[in-house]
Amino acid sequence: MLQERTCPTCAARTTQRFCALDRSQTVVAEPPSKRLRDYVRDDVIGGRYRIVEPIGKGAAAIVFATEHVGTGQPVAVKLLAADPSTKSGMIAVQRLFREARVTAGLSHAHVVRVFDVGQDDGGGAFFLAMERLVGHTLERELQQRLIDERPMSQGEAIGIALPILDALTAAHDQGLVHRDLKPGNVMLCRTPQGDDLVKVLDFGLARTINSMLTQGTIPGAPAYMSPEQCRGQDVDARGDLYGLGCMLYACVTCRPPFEGREPMLIMQQQIKAEPADPRTLTSIRLGDAFVAALMDALAKDPGDRPQTARAMHQRLSSALVVPRAVTGPTHRHGESGSSDPSTQARVMARLAAAATDPAKAFEYARTAMKLDPKNLKVRQMVRQTQARLRSPAPQAPPAGEGDE
C-alpha cells in the first residue's frame, strides 16, 4: 500500500512522489522513522550523501560533513529535527524547502550555495545539502576575541560587513528579507587559493514581502533582533540592517549592544534602551563616520536607519579611513587591532578579488590603491583583479551540471 504524502509547497495530499499541482517533491507526513542522534558515520542520507563527521549542532538541527557517493564531492548536509505529522513540524519542513528554493535562487559569491533538499529514504529526517565551507563562524571568532580581549579593528569589521551587505543587496533586490542575521549565520572562510571569503548562511527564516509563512511567530536571536521584530511586527530590509549593526557593534566591542540572561529582557532593551557609544567599550580607534553609520543602523525607528543595504555599503566604504585619535573614553585594556592603512588596503584588495560584480570589484580595487599605493602585495592583488575584469566571462554550464 502506498504511503500518503504531503506537498510542502501547497499542502496537497497525494501518494505520488511529486505534486501534480506545482511539481514539488512530496514528503511522508508521519513521525520520522529515524532520529537525528541515530545518524552515524558512513550512513547515507537520501541515497547519495555519505556521512563523514558532524560539524555543527543546534537545538533543532545537526550539520554533517558528507561526501557525494557518486562524485566524492564534499557536501555539508543539514538534518532537521521535525515531525511533519504536527502543525509546527510541517511549518519547519516548509521553511526548510523554502530555504532551499530562495537560497538556490541567490547566485552570489557571499551566499552559501544550496544543491539539494529532500527527505531521507523511508520517511527519515529532512535534509538540506549545501557547499561545505572551510572556516568558522563569526560567532566563534567573536567568542575567541572576547576571551583574548582582542576586539576587531574598524577596518576588519568593515571588511566583514561589506560582503554581507553585498549579499543582502542581492537578496533585497529579489524582495527577500533574511530576518535572522547573527554571527552564527556568517561564515569566515578560506578559499582553495588562500583568500578570505565571507558567506551568509541559513535563509530558513527568510521571507518574501507579504509572505504568511512566519506570521504569528517571533523567530531570530534576541541580541540581534530589530525592535519591530521584537514586537512581532512586520520586518523589512531595514530590519536586516539593524541586525548587521548589532554584529558590527559586537565586532569592535566583543559584545552585542544589549545582553542578558532572559531573552525577553534583551528584547525589551532592543525596543526601549539606547546602546552605549561603542568607543566607551573598546580601546580600538573608531572614526566618527564609522560610529555614526553604526549607530544609525541601530536606530529604533526603521525610518531613521539607512534605507537600503546599498546605502549602508556606501557609508561604510566611505568610513574606511584611518581614525587619527581615540575620540571617546577607552576600555581598561591596552590598544590592539590598529586600523592602519596597510591592513585596510589588504581587506579591500581581498574583497575586490572575491567580488563577482565588476563595478564592486573596481570600487574595492580603487579604494585599496588609495589606501596603500606602495604596498606590493596589494598592487599585485589589484592587478590580478583588473586582469580578471578584462578577461571574457566564462560560459555558464548546462542546466543541472554542478548541482551534485
Side-chain angles (χ1 to χ4, degrees), residues 115-234:
F115 304 135
D116 194 6
V117 66
Q119 185 177 24
D120 195 16
D121 298 338
F126 295 89
F127 68 86
L128 183 73
M130 64 197 102
E131 63 178 316
R132 196 199 304 178
L133 304 172
V134 178
H136 57 272
T137 64
L138 178 59
E139 180 179 36
R140 177 178 158 191
E141 177 75 15
L142 293 177
Q143 289 172 345
Q144 188 60 52
R145 285 177 175 269
L146 176 60
I147 294 171
D148 297 341
E149 299 180 341
R150 186 171 53 89
M152 290 186 188
S153 69
Q154 174 177 309
E156 288 173 321
I158 293 176
I160 289 173
L162 293 182
I164 296 174
L165 287 165
D166 285 339
L168 289 179
T169 296
H172 295 169
D173 283 350
Q174 295 189 27
L176 183 67
V177 183
H178 190 286
R179 303 181 81 233
D180 194 26
L181 271 183
K182 58 186 179 183
N185 282 338
V186 174
M187 279 287 292
L188 308 180
C189 312
R190 184 62 60 88
T191 68
Q193 293 75 33
D195 296 323
D196 294 327
L197 184 64
V198 176
K199 290 269 191 177
V200 179
L201 313 177
D202 200 352
F203 276 80
L205 296 180
R207 70 170 179 85
T208 52
I209 304 303
N210 299 324
S211 168
M212 299 294 291
L213 185 56
T214 54
Q215 284 196 359
T217 64
I218 307 180
Y224 298 91
M225 286 167 56
S226 66
E228 59 270 26
Q229 191 172 7
C230 292
R231 295 189 189 99
Q233 299 171 342
D234 286 342

Side-chain angles (χ1 to χ4, degrees), residues 82-122:
D83 180 352
S85 66
T86 67
K87 181 179 179 180
S88 60
M90 180 53 75
I91 289 176
V93 171
Q94 290 173 323
R95 286 178 180 159
L96 184 76
F97 277 74
R98 189 173 187 283
E99 176 182 356
R101 289 193 298 271
V102 300
T103 309
L106 286 174
S107 180
H108 194 277
H110 299 297
V111 177
V112 65
R113 291 179 62 202
V114 168
F115 304 135
D116 194 6
V117 66
Q119 185 177 24
D120 195 16
D121 298 338

Side-chain angles (χ1 to χ4, degrees), residues 291-310:
V291 173
L294 169 57
M295 299 303 279
D296 284 351
L298 294 176
K300 302 300 181 186
D301 186 342
D304 293 333
R305 299 173 204 151
Q307 296 300 287
T308 65
R310 283 189 180 88

